Amino acid sequence: MSAAPGNALVARRLGIDSHDEAIAYVRADCAVCRSEGIGGHSRVTLKVGSRAIIASLSQVTESWLAPETIGLSDAAWQRLRLATPVPVTISHVPPLASLGLVRRRIFDSNLTEAEIRAIVSDISQGRYSDIQITAFVTAVAARPFSRAETVAMIRAMIDTGQRLTWPDEAIFDKHCVGGLPGNRTTPIIVAIVAALGLKIPKTSSRAITSPAGTADTMETLTTVCLTLDDMRRIVDAQGGCLIWGNSVEFSPADHAMIRIERVLNFDSPSSMIASVLSKKVAAGATHIVIDIPVGPTAKVRTEQDALALEHLFLETAAAFDLTLHIALTDGRQPIGRGIGPALEARDVLAVLSNQADAPPDLARKACQLAGALLEMAGKAGPGHGEALASQTLRSGQALARFQAICQAQGGLKTLPVAPHQRPILAACSGRVLQIDNRRLARVAKLAGAPGDKAAGLDLHVRLGDRVHRGEALYTLHTDSPGELAYVLDYIDSNPGIVAVG
Amino acid sequence: MSAAPGNALVARRLGIDSHDEAIAYVRADCAVCRSEGIGGHSRVTLKVGSRAIIASLSQVTESWLAPETIGLSDAAWQRLRLATPVPVTISHVPPLASLGLVRRRIFDSNLTEAEIRAIVSDISQGRYSDIQITAFVTAVAARPFSRAETVAMIRAMIDTGQRLTWPDEAIFDKHCVGGLPGNRTTPIIVAIVAALGLKIPKTSSRAITSPAGTADTMETLTTVCLTLDDMRRIVDAQGGCLIWGNSVEFSPADHAMIRIERVLNFDSPSSMIASVLSKKVAAGATHIVIDIPVGPTAKVRTEQDALALEHLFLETAAAFDLTLHIALTDGRQPIGRGIGPALEARDVLAVLSNQADAPPDLARKACQLAGALLEMAGKAGPGHGEALASQTLRSGQALARFQAICQAQGGLKTLPVAPHQRPILAACSGRVLQIDNRRLARVAKLAGAPGDKAAGLDLHVRLGDRVHRGEALYTLHTDSPGELAYVLDYIDSNPGIVAVG
């Protein structure tokens, strides 16, 4: 329904960072809300000119907010595209029919393509509150998407976001399902394959449950928030890019769902596959290498789970004519030394620069995965991709291409260094028997990663290494003494994160 | 861990009604947060003296909030029991181990009693954010509690709340699973059975998904927010009471979960049974009548579903030595005329006062259910309870007891009347073929119920009635013209809510 005349309040930017949720604050005695019958905790429509958004209403009883103003959280202010305190009209939200579908998905039955499209469309337009998004995300975690639902979800996410097309026949991409700290192979792979002429328009996410995502790491080296036009220009010139997926809005609904999954610290297989493949299809990819690390404390714990996930990827990809190469990799311990955005970036630079102390496991794994892409592209015969990748790395071609991509994205930055560092020492001598990926990731997060770019940890040992009592197993990097005390507390109460015996 | 000295900010009451969630607002450039490494969207511990709560942190970049102050939502201010702007220390929240159990419940397996206890304990102490509570609530909706989990949930909820005990051998109670608009039998039943000497310490909820709960309706007549001591005193004197369950804190965790279910507009069978029976056990009840209305647009749609629910109730009750009488009742249409807090209260008073125009269906159903309680208590032989109840109603004893209970709770109020009323007319002549309970409830809610006590609707017809074109089917009651326009819009686009043909 249209808003009645005169029901306007003057917008005020409150500068409240409400975690992307649009929130409007009005006085409980606000005349406009009283005449419209709008109470506390309502969802309301806010309109400025032809632009309308949905927000959650919070009532205020104290006088810091003036009676005829409407205070806006940053998300609300930005979605309304305001710059000055203009009048905003406030009205009831039309009933959201798709919420009934979410309830049905929770209690009864799977959804049709049209039903999923209705939910995704409403989420992508910011019509769901955090609680409503959480219910949908949890429902499809507890009872996973069917194949048809996953395909429908991907189509709906593509259709509600931006999309790239390329004149080339084959467009390459790479994805890791995660769960292994460090393991920052993507920048190295992109540099190698782009140097050899492949087109790889790579977008990456920020961390969902981990101490760093590729976007977090790349942000310590260059600009990752770029437009779709920037992306196209950079890939046309350099063959590859390394940018943050959300900045190109391939899928606003996915963005909203991942934000909730980050709070809940989970992502479920079928919704993860929908999220990954929708972004790949939107980026125009046709050939993709998927890295699935397998290990007792990785995200995928057994080979059986890995094979099930591989099957899910392959059957979903078939609906979109995607060629996938699935690599089941060793997930028993982190790859590389650094865990945290800047520490991982340092490892990436070390590998690309062929430094003597570069982590060899990171170089080897990046070359294996790059090799798989090169074989898919026909640049190397079967079994010869890794050698070609390795040669491209050693020759300095990969480094040159990486630097060119970073220049195109806005220039190379100097890596930040955390002011507080503290080694964690072995309590006894012996061999490194186990490394708990999950709890090590937790340590890096408690140290401040990925929010603090320089925070995290440096792992000094690998499985099987012989260490002496008092030798450093890993070194914490933090920005504040408060965090340092806090993470030491966690380590004290969780012995054996790196088990020596 | 303990807070570092000097990390205090001065509390400021912001008067923000944040839907019961404790939220703390601090400046993004706040020195305390920077030195502690506390970033946006963190969960933080706030401490004043020995009192500590957990809150969500929102960062503020505008100057309306002073740098060294911490703005508090009403929920945070109240849980800290503040009256003046005292210093509040802010620190990291210890990792909540029970969130890992919620994730496990979503993805893998059922929970043990100890695990459920850990979750319920954390929720009851306000340690979960809304998103985290939503994940748990949705998980147990999508994959219902096992019998063992339901029993564990009830035990955990009882143990984390207050509890009443009585010297009497038998304590009575009554519950309706809901789904039928109107149907406000509880106040009548309590009045009848209390007048006949039964002890019925009745607590009720506010509406979860409906236009009114018994607590909403009773609040238009008397005070329903009373303490546990008040409750005991009133029941000792009058045999019964009619108060709001949350005010006596039988189960703070249930309170938090129901708040989320209200936003999501659902409640699932096993979590509903846990919620209901935990409150009954906490109130000391031993004998309970459960009303399950069955009809195509009621909450329980088929007899098969009703029997499954009955089974679930009985097997769960057995673990707590509760005697249940389950009544499957006619749920094809609303009971009584009013739908909305004050309109239902008016019907209740009309029945209790034996007014000539009192809705006969409401009187009959209340007597049937009261009769079942009287038979359980041995006050009437099998098959004779309803007649005894009816006689107690007609004699005025029930009215006298109802008035005495309301006096004991703080006195009888005058019912509010909505300023805007609008009849909805039959579009053709014929018989009333169908009444859509769900959409009729929706109409009453869009009219403003239960937030506006006087809002809702009056239903003038019943199934099978003959009506003429232009005759009023029901009358809307609203507090504001905005709501009236809005609900008329909904009725226009939803023909056949009361189907005539």
Side-chain angles (χ1 to χ4, degrees), chain A residues 166-441:
Chain A
W166 306 92
D168 315 65
E169 223 168 77
I171 298 292
F172 297 84
D173 212 327
K174 176 264 167 189
H175 182 81
C176 176
V177 302
L180 209 55
N183 197 30
R184 196 58 55 212
T185 58
T186 298
I188 305 169
I189 295 169
V190 168
I192 293 172
V193 304
L196 290 169
L198 272 61
K199 202 165 263 187
I200 183 161
K202 184 82 189 84
T203 64
S204 304
S205 55
R206 296 187 187 278
I208 299 179
T209 61
S210 69
T214 294
D216 299 309
T217 296
M218 283 307 302
E219 196 166 37
T220 64
L221 290 167
T222 187
T223 312
V224 296
C225 294
L226 296 169
T227 66
L228 209 66
D229 284 343
D230 291 333
M231 182 172 171
R232 198 187 321 257
R233 181 179 48 75
I234 295 165
V235 174
D236 276 338
Q238 303 297 338
C241 67
L242 284 152
I243 72 176
W244 182 38
N246 287 13
S247 66
V248 293
E249 294 207 324
F250 282 151
S251 174
D254 185 54
H255 175 180
M257 290 169 63
I258 282 183
R259 182 168 58 77
I260 297 295
E261 291 176 343
R262 187 175 290 125
V263 174
L264 294 172
N265 205 26
F266 71 61
D267 66 327
S268 59
S270 60
S271 85
M272 182 262 283
I273 285 177
S275 166
V276 170
L277 293 187
S278 69
K279 283 178 280 193
K280 304 303 179 202
V281 174
T286 57
H287 293 71
I288 310 165
V289 165
I290 309 271
D291 173 17
I292 303 183
V294 189
T297 59
K299 183 182 285 173
V300 177
R301 303 192 198 196
T302 64
E303 197 176 327
Q304 196 184 348
D305 288 352
L307 292 173
L309 192 59
E310 173 172 18
H311 176 72
L312 216 54
F313 259 115
L314 291 174
E315 73 168 10
T316 310
F320 297 91
D321 277 335
L322 297 173
T323 306
L324 299 194
H325 172 91
I326 310 269
L328 305 192
T329 59
D330 180 357
R332 291 173 303 150
Q333 60 186 329
I335 299 289
R337 296 196 188 99
I339 299 174
L343 295 166
E344 295 175 23
R346 181 210 56 201
D347 282 357
V348 165
L349 288 179
V351 168
L352 285 167
S353 316
N354 295 300
Q355 287 174 15
D357 62 348
D361 56 333
L362 179 63
R364 195 166 48 245
K365 182 163 176 184
C367 286
Q368 282 165 353
L369 297 173
L373 284 170
L374 296 172
E375 291 175 22
M376 286 166 104
K379 294 275 178 188
H384 297 285
E386 184 179 350
L388 176 58
S390 183
Q391 182 193 322
T392 310
L393 187 60
R394 280 199 312 276
S395 70
Q397 287 169 275
L399 176 64
R401 184 56 58 109
F402 182 77
Q403 289 168 331
I405 290 171
C406 289
Q407 283 306 332
Q409 289 190 194
L412 255 170
K413 296 184 200 167
T414 306
L415 290 179
V417 176
H420 301 275
Q421 298 179 15
R422 169 78 70 100
I424 301 300
L425 311 178
C428 62
S429 298
R431 284 204 186 273
V432 176
L433 300 176
Q434 269 191 325
I435 299 177
D436 187 322
N437 290 312
R438 285 161 198 255
R439 287 191 290 163
L440 204 60

Side-chain angles (χ1 to χ4, degrees), chain B residues 377-393:
Chain B
K379 295 276 176 189
H384 297 284
E386 182 178 350
L388 177 58
S390 184
Q391 180 194 321
T392 310
L393 188 59

Side-chain angles (χ1 to χ4, degrees), chain A residues 1 12 14-15 17 19 35 37 41 59-61 64 93 95 103 107 131 135 138 264-265 268 442 480 483 486, chain B residues 1 12 14-15 17 19 35 37 41 59-61 64 93 95 103 107 134-135 138 264-265 268 442 480 483 486:
Chain A
M1 68 176 280
R12 174 174 167 200
L14 293 181
D17 178 359
H19 205 189
S35 76
H41 321 313
Q59 289 190 331
V60 173
T61 51
W64 60 271
V93 171
R103 277 191 293 276
F107 287 102
I131 287 176
T138 307
L264 294 172
N265 205 26
S268 59
R442 174 106 212 192
S480 77
E483 279 163 328
Y486 189 57
Chain B
M1 68 174 281
R12 176 175 165 198
L14 293 182
D17 178 359
H19 204 190
S35 77
H41 322 312
Q59 290 191 331
V60 174
T61 51
W64 60 271
V93 170
R103 277 190 293 276
F107 287 101
T134 305
T138 306
L264 293 173
N265 204 25
S268 60
R442 174 104 213 191
S480 76
E483 279 162 328
Y486 189 58

Side-chain angles (χ1 to χ4, degrees), chain B residues 215-254:
Chain B
D216 300 308
T217 296
M218 284 306 302
E219 196 166 38
T220 65
L221 290 167
T222 187
T223 311
V224 297
C225 293
L226 296 168
T227 66
L228 208 67
D229 285 343
D230 292 332
M231 182 172 171
R232 198 187 321 257
R233 180 180 48 75
I234 295 164
V235 173
D236 276 338
Q238 303 298 339
C241 67
L242 285 152
I243 73 176
W244 182 39
N246 287 13
S247 67
V248 292
E249 292 209 325
F250 282 151
S251 175
D254 185 54

Side-chain angles (χ1 to χ4, degrees), chain B residues 341-382:
Chain B
L343 295 165
E344 295 175 24
R346 182 210 55 202
D347 283 355
V348 165
L349 287 180
V351 168
L352 285 167
S353 316
N354 295 300
Q355 287 174 15
D357 62 348
D361 56 333
L362 180 63
R364 192 164 51 244
K365 181 162 176 184
C367 287
Q368 281 165 354
L369 296 174
L373 285 171
L374 295 172
E375 292 175 20
M376 285 167 103
K379 295 276 176 189

